[in-house]
């Protein structure tokens, strides 16, 4: 690819403008070296307990070659964005036949081969798809159907890989189509696990229990859960798209019919009209559980609810302080429920109240889909922006000496920001860490959620498409930021740059909103709005 350089034409008072090419990559507005200070800080503050493929001393070299660079006036967002890429590369693990992404850095007893865990694997693919080097996600995809166990937990693998394909056009996704079909069939057949049925019931809805959904000790518990049914809908839709891409019209039709049938079942059987929410039907009684749980938003993660039926009314509970809204994020159960708990006793990982970044990731992705794909007046760009900022600023820890450092862990107290599981585990056995529970700092740099994907596809709004085009629809409210830029995004063999400059003084490329493809302006507008580019 021909490299392009731009010279700033601006007065000397415009400090900190970024126009440069760095290394072997194309950047058209930002200069990556201006952000090395973040990585240097993280390395300096880190106690590097567990080293995998890319150690701290190689982290900057890896990141400057692999990630899109981002610039905005909110330093908390900037810190979290680079921090989450810095932690993500820690989880790249070299194995004999390629690479995987881990969830925990230390070995935990409930993991599979090479410390793999399927629970957050789709999050890993959603996040990892933005890396310039596709070899990591390609190897990870192959791993699950050669040495891994893709049904250890709920895992929307076909959906995640199809989203990856739309972005990067990697043949491994279509090559795995036969294995993905077998995987869906295995979920349909079902199996018993610890006395619980997992799979498709005679009525067509899927069941699982909270632990195998990665959400142990929920108030609603086991049964026909909105989460697993939304995932399976997303799987069917992705398989239909893949089949169409492969020219198999009969297979595409069959999976579209499966998806359509499941959509109707979810709308008819899992929507509680009185509670105005998608709820679990309990395993024992078959009736609705009496609690709203954050997983009730998962249908929108897959764009399952049919447009125009008014299901989006459920999003009012996300904004309610008696619902899910709390100072440090979204609670996993509604706060008004009598069994809502923030417990520092018993199991260290409870989903009956605490904030879980895993669930926040699903919910914010779902909310971005609502704002992009549905006509409604319940939630707005400001709601996404506010929750995203809250999520950004919650990823911190107050150290014993009073320092506040970037941090991502397991479950979090929604009112204080304390990482509950860490507080528990730090004194679990004889006043210290327990090897049986995963050892020292089990949850440090926990890879169980997305953040960079939420910023890229949600906040900045790069929405990958099946055709040779891109839609860019930022969810940054009109008056929130004077400027922002995302540069060096690998997209279908091209490099995208998206930037907004209200006055034209930050980047010296003009006023307004711009989409560049390989350095050339392909779309622009005076204000933030949806832009479409084809090639």
């Amino acid at each position: 690819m021909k490299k392009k350089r731009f010279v700033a034409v601006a007065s000397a008072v415009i400090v900190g403008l970024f126009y440069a090419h760095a290394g072997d990559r194309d950047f058209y507005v930002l200069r990556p070296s201006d952000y090395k200070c973040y990585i240097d800080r993280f390395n300096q503050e880190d106690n590097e307990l567990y080293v995998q493929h890319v150690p701290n001393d190689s982290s900057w070299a890896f990141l400057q070659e692999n990630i899109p660079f981002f610039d905005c006036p909110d330093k908390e967002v900037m810190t979290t964005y680079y921090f989450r890429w810095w932690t993500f590369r820690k989880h790249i693990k070299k194995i004999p036949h390629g690479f995987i992404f881990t969830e925990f850095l230390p070995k935990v007893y409930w993991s599979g081969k090479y410390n793999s865990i399927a629970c957050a694997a789709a999050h890993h693919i959603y996040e990892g798809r933005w890396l310039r080097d596709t070899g990591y996600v390609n190897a990870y995809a192959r791993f699950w159907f050669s040495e891994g166990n893709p049904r250890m937990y709920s895992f929307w693998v076909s959906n995640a890989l199809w989203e990856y394909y739309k972005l990067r056009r990697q043949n491994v996704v279509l090559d795995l189509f036969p294995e993905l079909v077998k995987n869906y069939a295995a979920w349909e057949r079902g199996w018993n696990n610890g006395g619980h049925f997992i799979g498709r019931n005679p009525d067509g809805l899927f069941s699982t229990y909270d632990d195998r959904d990665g959400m142990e000790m929920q108030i609603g518990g086991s049964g026909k859960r909105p989460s697993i049914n939304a995932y399976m809908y997303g799987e069917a839709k992705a398989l239909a798209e893949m089949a169409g891409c492969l020219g198999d019209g009969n297979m595409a039709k069959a999976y579209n019919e499966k998806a359509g049938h499941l959509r109707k079942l979810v709308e008819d059987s899992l929507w509680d009209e009185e509670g105005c929410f998608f709820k679990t039907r309990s395993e024992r009684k078959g009736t609705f559980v009496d609690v709203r749980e954050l997983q009730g938003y998962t249908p929108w993660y897959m764009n399952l609810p049919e447009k125009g039926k008014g299901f989006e009314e459920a999003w009012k509970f996300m904004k309610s302080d008696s619902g899910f809204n709390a100072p440090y994020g979204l609670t996993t159960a509604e706060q008004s429920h009598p069994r809502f708990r923030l417990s520092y006793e018993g199991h260290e990982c409870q989903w009956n109240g605490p904030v879980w970044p895993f669930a926040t990731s699903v919910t914010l992705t779902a909310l971005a889909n609502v704002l992009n794909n549905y006509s409604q007046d319940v939630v707005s760009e400001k709601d996404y922006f506010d929750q995203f900022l809250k999520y950004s600023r919650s990823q911190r820890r107050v150290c014993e000496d009073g320092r506040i450092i970037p941090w991502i862990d397991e479950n979090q107290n929604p009112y204080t920001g304390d990482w509950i599981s860490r507080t528990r585990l730090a004194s679990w056995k004889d006043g210290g860490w327990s090897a049986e529970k995963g050892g020292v700092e089990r949850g440090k740099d926990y890879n169980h959620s997305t953040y960079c994907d939420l910023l890229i596809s949600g906040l900045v709004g790069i929405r990958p498409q099946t055709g040779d085009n891109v839609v860019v629809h930022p969810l940054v409210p009109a008056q929130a930021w004077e400027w922002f830029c995302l540069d060096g995004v690998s997209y279908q063999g091209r490099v995208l740059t998206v930037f907004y400059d209200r006055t034209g003084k930050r980047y010296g490329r003009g006023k307004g909103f711009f989409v560049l493809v390989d350095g050339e302006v392909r779309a622009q507008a005076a204000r933030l709005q949806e832009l479409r580019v084809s090639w």
Side-chain angles (χ1 to χ4, degrees), residues 324-343:
F324 302 105
N325 187 51
Y328 282 85
L330 298 170
T331 59
T332 46
E334 57 183 333
Q335 296 160 78
S336 60
H337 195 275
R339 290 173 59 195
F340 175 89
R341 293 288 184 275
L342 300 173
S343 179

Side-chain angles (χ1 to χ4, degrees), residues 54 56-57 96 106 114 116 145 231 236-237 254 335 373 377 383 390 394 429 449 453 466 496 504 525:
V54 185
N56 282 1
D57 61 10
Y114 308 122
S116 63
F145 298 98
Y231 300 151
K237 291 295 290 183
Q335 296 160 78
N373 304 326
D377 58 4
D383 294 309
K390 193 178 295 187
S394 71
K429 186 177 182 180
S449 59
D453 179 69
T466 54
L496 299 186

Side-chain angles (χ1 to χ4, degrees), residues 80-135:
T80 305
Y81 179 76
Y82 290 107
F83 173 69
R84 287 302 300 265
W85 278 127
W86 179 83
T87 61
F88 188 79
R89 59 82 207 172
K90 286 191 174 197
H91 288 273
I92 300 172
K93 183 172 185 175
K94 184 77 173 70
I95 62 173
H97 305 294
F99 297 91
I100 65 167
F101 300 109
T102 54
E103 179 178 320
F104 292 93
L105 290 173
K107 174 70 175 177
V108 292
Y109 72 84
W110 58 91
S111 65
K113 197 169 186 179
Y114 308 122
N115 207 26
S116 63
I117 303 176
C119 183
H123 283 331
H124 300 161
I125 295 169
Y126 266 77
E127 198 91 331
R129 63 182 172 151
W130 301 102
L131 292 174
R132 185 178 181 88
D133 188 339
T134 57

